[in-house]
Amino acid sequence: MTHAISKIDVEKASVRIRPLVPKSPLVRFDALSEHVGTDVYCKLDTALPTGAFKVRGAVSSLKAQLEQGREKGAVAFSTGNHGRAIAWAGKRLGIDVTIYMSPLVPQNKRDALAAAGGKIVIVGEKQDDAEAEAERVSQDTGALYVSPAHDPYVLAGQGTSAVEIFEDLPEVGTLIVPLSAGGLGAGVATYAKAVSPETKIIGVTMDRGAAMYESLKAGRPVAVEEVESLADSLGGGVGGEESLTFPIVRDLFDDALLVTEDEIATGMAWALLKERQVFEGAAGTCVGLLLRDAAKDLKGPIVFMGCGMNVDMNVLLNIANTHKDVLGGSS
């Protein structure tokens, strides 16, 4: 089946973003490796500008569109990280950016986005409302609409993390990717399965309001009720039948799994106390999954996406404090 992007698109995006986006480190998580019984590495996109992988797709899309002569500003909808990345990229490329958000987005992410240079508009009750408003404004004004999951340049940009992973570790056995609308997953899977078909790709998401998981189960894109979660950046819909990400995730992922809120919290606490890394809930889903005994059956070496670090530090410190005993102390 033909998909929206190809390995070549991802490779072109890798070249396109490089002047602004540095390569992020691939780091072995020693305590987690010992727990699982095989080498576990984290692709630390938390080290990128704006503290998340989203800057890859933002720069890829805005630069590509500028090259095509579209300079009427940009609009997007976001749960925080995508909007912050668009604002950061727009500021460096001379593009005015407006981001539409739902009230469910935490205040710390709104503040960070404003600091990055973007104008924020809170609209509706859920992310689907923010998405609809961003699309409407784009149609009315001619501004570039930058979707986190339905823009081929964004998808290709997110996939550049996989280019870097396989440069550093060609023999990846299992690749674990947080699943939201599938922007990261579609890009990463497109490149990973092209260069290493034997690598298993597993999606992970929260067990409440998980649109991609429910869509995969239904065999088609479906809408879900959005609820609050520690993995707030994994909220939002997959889109309708025209979704670019759904067929890629459906065709290229080997499995998709759910984690509970407690598992997400435990994963965030483990990352901080055992590995000395700050993770938001979306990245915590991966660690939470790997802390299960069943993870010991996964083929190594394992790589998971450290997709973002934009968490309210008061929330993270409270989580770490309440989970110290579960993790056997802080050392």
Side-chain angles (χ1 to χ4, degrees):
M1 181 178 179
T2 300
H3 292 144
I5 60 170
S6 67
K7 171 178 174 284
I8 293 174
D9 293 321
V10 177
E11 291 170 337
K12 286 180 179 178
S14 187
V15 174
R16 187 184 304 124
I17 72 172
R18 192 55 60 226
L20 286 179
V21 183
K23 182 177 181 178
S24 66
L26 185 68
V27 177
R28 187 180 189 271
F29 270 32
D30 294 338
L32 198 52
S33 296
E34 182 177 351
H35 176 84
V36 177
T38 190
D39 287 332
V40 176
Y41 295 86
C42 176
K43 181 59 172 170
L44 275 180
D45 273 5
T46 53
L48 294 179
T50 75
F53 76 93
K54 294 282 191 177
V55 72
R56 297 177 181 274
V59 172
S60 173
S61 180
L62 291 187
K63 284 193 71 175
Q65 301 292 353
L66 275 179
E67 291 166 3
Q68 297 173 22
R70 298 194 62 175
E71 301 179 17
K72 292 185 178 181
V75 296
F77 78 99
S78 176
T79 53
N81 286 336
H82 175 66
R84 187 177 178 187
I86 296 294
W88 183 91
K91 185 175 182 179
R92 282 149 186 81
L93 295 170
I95 301 174
D96 292 330
V97 172
T98 301
I99 307 299
Y100 296 86
M101 292 181 154
S102 83
L104 293 175
V105 176
Q107 188 62 46
N108 72 294
K109 292 193 174 183
R110 300 186 202 180
D111 294 342
L113 194 153
K119 177 185 175 183
I120 301 171
V121 178
I122 304 299
V123 61
E125 299 179 352
K126 56 186 185 299
Q127 276 307 106
D128 286 349
D129 297 331
E131 180 179 12
E133 182 65 7
E135 290 178 336
R136 184 193 66 77
V137 171
S138 174
Q139 292 170 359
D140 290 349
T141 66
L144 171 66
Y145 171 57
V146 187
S147 168
H150 309 301
D151 179 331
Y153 295 115
V154 170
L155 304 190
Q158 315 304 26
T160 62
S161 57
V163 176
E164 297 172 10
I165 289 170
F166 283 91
E167 285 176 352
D168 292 342
L169 191 70
E171 67 277 15
V172 178
T174 304
L175 188 54
I176 301 176
V177 187
L179 273 180
S180 179
L184 176 62
V188 166
T190 294
Y191 187 84
K193 283 297 188 181
V195 300
S196 181
E198 67 278 8
T199 297
K200 299 294 183 184
I201 303 180
I202 297 174
V204 59
T205 191
M206 66 282 196
D207 66 353
R208 48 172 70 181
M212 181 60 78
Y213 179 87
E214 294 300 332
S215 296
L216 291 171
K217 197 164 72 169
R220 58 181 176 80
V222 297
V224 299
E225 180 183 357
E226 290 183 49
V227 295
E228 291 188 14
S229 170
L230 283 172
D232 55 89
S233 63
L234 299 185
V238 174
E241 295 299 327
E242 74 284 357
S243 171
L244 301 184
T245 56
F246 175 75
I248 300 176
V249 174
R250 178 197 62 203
D251 296 347
L252 300 183
F253 272 62
D254 294 282
D255 205 352
L257 302 172
L258 299 176
V259 288
T260 66
E261 290 298 298
D262 187 63
E263 287 178 311
I264 296 170
T266 303
M268 296 167 71
W270 180 288
L272 183 66
L273 299 176
K274 299 285 190 178
E275 315 289 353
R276 302 299 189 255
Q277 298 291 339
V278 173
F279 278 179
E280 61 186 73
T285 62
C286 298
V287 181
L289 179 66
L290 286 167
L291 290 175
R292 291 179 180 172
D293 287 341
K296 296 177 181 179
D297 295 329
L298 297 177
K299 180 183 177 183
I302 298 168
V303 175
F304 73 91
M305 309 302 297
C307 54
M309 62 175 291
N310 297 314
V311 59
D312 185 321
M313 288 304 297
N314 290 323
V315 172
L316 179 59
L317 292 174
N318 182 61
I319 288 171
N321 186 56
T322 57
H323 285 73
K324 282 192 299 186
D325 294 340
V326 176
L327 300 181
S330 60
S331 60

